[in-house]
């Protein structure tokens, strides 16, 4: 997310310093408000299971829409034209997958006091092998995602301040801020900061769209430019393109819905009604966020025609620069936009770090290493291991090699292999642990090998081939071996019905 802004510099530093102070204040507020409960796993990792509709909505929003959405989607729309309208269904698909499993998982989370998605998998299958493998895949995906955010933070800070704050200094500064307020307030700090960054991001995005429509012309001007210079951008995708985008739709729809930090937000809801009302509000966001930044990218075709691929990556910064030069209002609106983008990236990173620590605390340390540990000791173990992980990721992010792109891509490909255990286990009492373990392992290995080799049969993403193998082994293995009476009785008691 490298963005060079002519209006950046000390104004950018001012906004970032103000944001950092605000986040620390939020963390201190959450710490003081709940200091009597800060040793509780429920309080620290789930906000006491008491998040209301608006806070829950914005923390879901921050989970699904990072600052990279605002920076990365318009250049892609610029290069692809109307074919990239498929980006809106990406987020609709995520909501559809949520609605399929989230209400049932929430009810079970309340009934059995579940803290993490691994908690559910352990409860359902009672298998150490399945739980540890699921935890490893989730930790890998979370560490991978966290590394992405660290790189994006450094690049964003450097871009917003015109290089006044170097990349590495930006990474260190905001990671210290993030760790500090996360340690102080846990989930409540994270949720409150998500609310602040969500409001800032929405304000900035809509200001960018309104300014672009006014100063650069609307979609008809962009369409006329495309018709004259790049008519292929007006055409629908061909067969190979449809296959690629449909497979990505499924990969992102399932993968983003089962993000461990997204699942934890399901457990954080105050009630099932609160959860459903938050999802109703989330249903509008694909149009109000992905749809809006798609329009910005299309308008950019008319505003800055003929950009190369590398130049188009700077599109949002170029449009913001042009608007900032119009008047004082747009100047500060664009500075706030990019401050909001960095805030969004930091808020995504803090959510990921909190869930990473909770899996260490609850699912590995608390369950297998020291089962008799107090809740305070479990929380402390998660914080310390999380801090070590952050230090390691900072070293990697310091000079990120280009080959990290493959590792970034591998995040979804591997994480999605947890899907059958997490979702099928909610509805199928016969599903047995041996088949789940074999399927998850085989799917992860296939997805990893295919991704690192760059092998994508029929244009379908390797994670989906792994998921197909994974699900096939789960279903066929269960049908052939079945579940013994004790397993089925346990599953029936847990999920509440027989199928």
């Amino acid at each position: 997310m490298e963005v060079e802004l002519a209006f950046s510099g000390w104004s950018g530093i001012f906004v970032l310093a103000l944001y950092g102070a605000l986040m620390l204040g939020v963390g201190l507020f959450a710490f003081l408000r709940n200091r009597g409960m800060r040793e509780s796993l429920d309080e620290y990792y789930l906000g006491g299971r008491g998040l209301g509709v608006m806070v829950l909505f914005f923390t879901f929003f921050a989970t699904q829409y990072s600052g990279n959405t605002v920076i990365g989607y318009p250049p892609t729309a610029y290069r692809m034209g109307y074919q990239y309208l498929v980006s809106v269904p990406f987020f609709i698909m995520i909501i559809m997958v949520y609605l399929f499993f989230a209400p049932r998982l929430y009810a079970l989370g309340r009934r059995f006091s579940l803290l993490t998605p691994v908690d559910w998998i352990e409860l359902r299958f009672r298998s150490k092998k399945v739980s540890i493998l699921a935890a490893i895949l989730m930790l890998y995906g979370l560490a991978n995602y966290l590394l992405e955010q660290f790189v994006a933070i450094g690049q964003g800070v450097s871009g917003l301040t015109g290089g006044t704050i170097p990349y590495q200094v930006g990474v260190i500064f905001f990671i210290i801020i993030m760790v500090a307020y996360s340690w102080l307030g846990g989930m409540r700090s994270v949720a409150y900061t998500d609310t602040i960054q969500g409001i800032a991001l929405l304000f900035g995005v809509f200001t960018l769209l309104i300014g672009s429509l006014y100063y650069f012309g609307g979609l008809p001007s962009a369409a006329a430019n495309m018709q004259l210079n790049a008519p292929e951008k007006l055409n629908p995708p061909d067969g190979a393109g449809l296959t690629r985008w449909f497979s990505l739709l499924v990969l992102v729809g399932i993968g983003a819905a089962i993000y461990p930090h997204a699942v934890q937000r399901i457990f954080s809801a105050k009630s099932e009604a609160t959860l459903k009302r938050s999802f109703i509000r989330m249903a509008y966001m694909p149009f109000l966020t992905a749809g809006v930044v798609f329009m910005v990218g299309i308008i950019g075709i008319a505003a800055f025609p003929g950009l190369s691929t590398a130049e188009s990556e700077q599109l949002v910064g170029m449009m913001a620069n042009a608007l900032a030069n119009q008047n004082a209002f747009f100047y500060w609106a664009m500075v706030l936009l990019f401050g909001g983008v960095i805030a969004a990236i930091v808020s995504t990173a803090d959510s990921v770090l909190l869930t990473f620590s909770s899996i260490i605390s609850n699912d590995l340390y608390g369950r297998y290493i020291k089962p008799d540990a107090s809740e305070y000791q479990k929380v402390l173990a998660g914080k310390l291991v999380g801090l070590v992980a952050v230090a390691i990721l900072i070293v990697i992010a310091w000079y990120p090699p280009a080959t990290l792109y493959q590792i970034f891509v591998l995040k979804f490909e591997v994480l999605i292999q947890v899907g059958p255990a997490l979702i099928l286990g909610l509805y199928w009492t016969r599903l047995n642990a041996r088949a789940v373990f074999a399927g998850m392992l085989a799917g992860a290995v296939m997805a990893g090998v295919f991704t690192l080799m760059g092998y994508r049969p029929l244009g379908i993403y390797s994670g989906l081939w792994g998921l197909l193998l994974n699900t096939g082994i789960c279903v066929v293995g269960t049908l052939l071996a079945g579940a013994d009476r004790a397993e089925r009785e346990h599953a029936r008691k847990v999920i509440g019905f027989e199928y």
Side-chain angles (χ1 to χ4, degrees):
M1 194 200 75
E2 187 106 30
V3 183
E4 296 296 337
L5 303 179
F7 60 87
S8 58
W10 290 106
S11 56
I13 293 174
F14 170 76
V15 170
L16 294 180
L18 183 63
Y19 169 73
L22 183 61
M23 297 305 99
L24 286 175
V26 168
L28 183 61
F29 169 77
F31 174 80
L32 294 175
R33 181 181 177 185
N34 301 284
R35 55 187 171 182
M37 300 180 290
R38 64 180 180 268
E39 297 179 2
S40 161
L41 288 170
D42 265 15
E43 174 58 36
Y44 187 75
Y45 289 121
L46 298 181
R49 302 180 191 267
L51 299 188
V53 174
M54 292 308 297
V55 173
L56 187 65
F57 159 71
F58 274 112
T59 195
F60 268 119
F61 175 72
T63 299
Q64 303 301 339
Y65 299 90
S66 176
N68 286 323
T69 306
V70 178
I71 298 300
Y73 278 38
T76 309
Y78 179 96
R79 293 189 295 268
M80 296 185 62
Y82 280 93
Q83 293 185 28
Y84 199 62
L85 193 57
V86 74
S87 60
V88 176
F90 284 170
F91 294 99
I92 295 174
M93 183 71 172
I94 296 170
I95 300 299
M96 292 172 62
V97 176
Y98 271 143
L99 293 175
F100 179 73
F101 77 91
R104 170 165 286 274
L105 187 59
Y106 169 81
L108 292 171
R110 279 284 177 173
R111 180 181 171 192
F112 295 104
S113 299
L114 302 179
L115 189 74
T116 70
V118 181
D119 243 357
W120 157 244
I121 291 172
E122 169 64 24
L123 172 69
R124 172 64 178 82
F125 298 105
R126 296 186 298 181
S127 168
K128 184 176 181 179
K129 291 194 304 182
V130 172
S131 298
I132 291 178
L133 178 58
I136 290 172
L137 296 182
M138 290 182 191
L139 288 173
Y140 174 84
L142 290 168
N144 188 307
Y145 199 15
L146 198 56
L147 178 59
E148 285 185 83
Q149 305 311 309
F150 288 175
V151 172
I153 288 168
Q155 291 176 342
V157 170
S158 178
L160 178 60
T161 62
T164 305
I165 298 180
Y167 166 88
Q168 288 85 356
V169 175
V171 171
I172 294 295
F173 175 75
F174 274 100
I175 288 176
I176 290 173
I177 295 291
M178 178 192 72
V179 170
Y181 73 72
S182 295
W183 272 45
L184 284 171
M187 174 59 89
R188 290 189 187 272
S189 288
V190 169
Y192 296 157
T193 56
D194 286 349
T195 302
I196 295 169
Q197 68 87 359
I199 293 171
L201 197 62
L202 286 174
F203 169 78
V205 166
F206 274 95
T207 304
L208 179 62
L209 175 63
I210 292 169
S212 298
L213 288 169
Y214 184 77
Y215 287 107
F216 303 131
L219 298 179
S221 298
N225 184 282
M226 284 186 277
Q227 184 65 50
L228 183 64
N229 299 307
E232 70 279 1
K233 293 183 179 181
L234 292 170
N235 297 330
D238 56 18
L242 283 174
T243 300
R244 181 176 66 254
W245 286 111
F246 180 77
S247 68
L248 186 59
L249 184 71
V250 177
L251 181 71
V252 173
I254 299 176
I258 64 171
Y259 269 152
H261 50 298
V263 172
Q264 234 171 2
R265 276 145 181 73
I266 295 172
F267 297 147
S268 301
K270 188 174 183 179
S271 66
E272 187 171 344
T274 297
L275 181 67
K276 290 179 178 178
R277 285 198 290 270
S278 297
F279 283 149
I280 289 172
R281 287 162 174 76
M282 280 292 292
Y284 297 103
M285 301 319 292
F287 305 98
L288 298 180
T289 304
V292 168
V293 297
F294 166 79
M295 291 176 63
V296 169
I298 296 297
I299 293 170
I301 295 173
F304 299 96
L307 298 179
S308 67
T309 299
E311 291 170 338
S312 69
E313 287 296 310
Q314 307 292 319
L315 178 65
V316 176
M318 294 166 66
M319 296 177 74
N321 269 322
L323 291 178
N325 289 324
Q326 301 301 321
N327 55 55
F329 170 78
F330 277 113
Y331 177 92
W332 284 104
M334 293 303 98
V335 172
L336 290 174
L337 167 65
F338 281 91
V341 166
I342 295 167
I345 296 170
V346 174
S347 286
T348 300
D350 63 28
S351 300
V352 173
L353 178 60
L354 192 70
T355 300
F356 184 97
S357 298
S358 71
I359 293 176
I360 297 295
S361 293
N362 186 70
D363 303 315
L364 297 180
Y365 179 78
R367 181 170 292 128
Y368 300 119
I369 297 175
K370 193 175 181 182
D372 59 343
S374 67
E375 293 203 346
Y376 171 77
Q377 290 173 323
K378 292 176 185 178
V379 170
L380 182 60
K383 286 180 175 180
L384 294 176
V385 174
L387 194 60
V388 171
V390 165
I392 294 171
L393 293 174
I394 288 175
V395 172
I396 299 173
W398 201 255
Y399 295 104
T403 51
L404 277 177
Y405 174 74
Q406 286 187 313
I407 302 176
F408 293 166
V409 172
L410 192 54
K411 170 189 64 183
F412 266 138
E413 315 280 7
V414 170
L415 185 59
I416 200 174
Q417 306 310 321
V418 181
L422 187 69
I423 299 175
L424 278 182
L426 287 167
Y427 296 96
W428 194 15
T429 55
R430 292 185 176 89
L431 186 62
N432 69 56
R434 296 177 298 280
V436 166
F437 176 79
M440 195 187 306
L441 181 61
V445 170
M446 173 181 275
V449 171
F450 278 19
T451 300
L452 295 176
M453 290 176 58
Y455 184 51
R456 195 179 291 174
L458 303 178
I460 297 173
Y461 284 83
S462 56
L464 295 184
W465 287 112
L467 182 63
L468 181 63
L469 175 65
N470 182 351
T471 306
I473 291 174
C474 284
V475 173
V476 174
T478 295
L479 292 176
L480 291 178
D484 61 36
R485 184 174 179 179
E487 283 182 310
R488 290 184 62 182
E489 180 63 20
H490 170 73
R492 187 191 64 79
K493 288 179 180 178
V494 167
I495 63 179
F497 64 91
E498 175 77 20
Y499 179 69

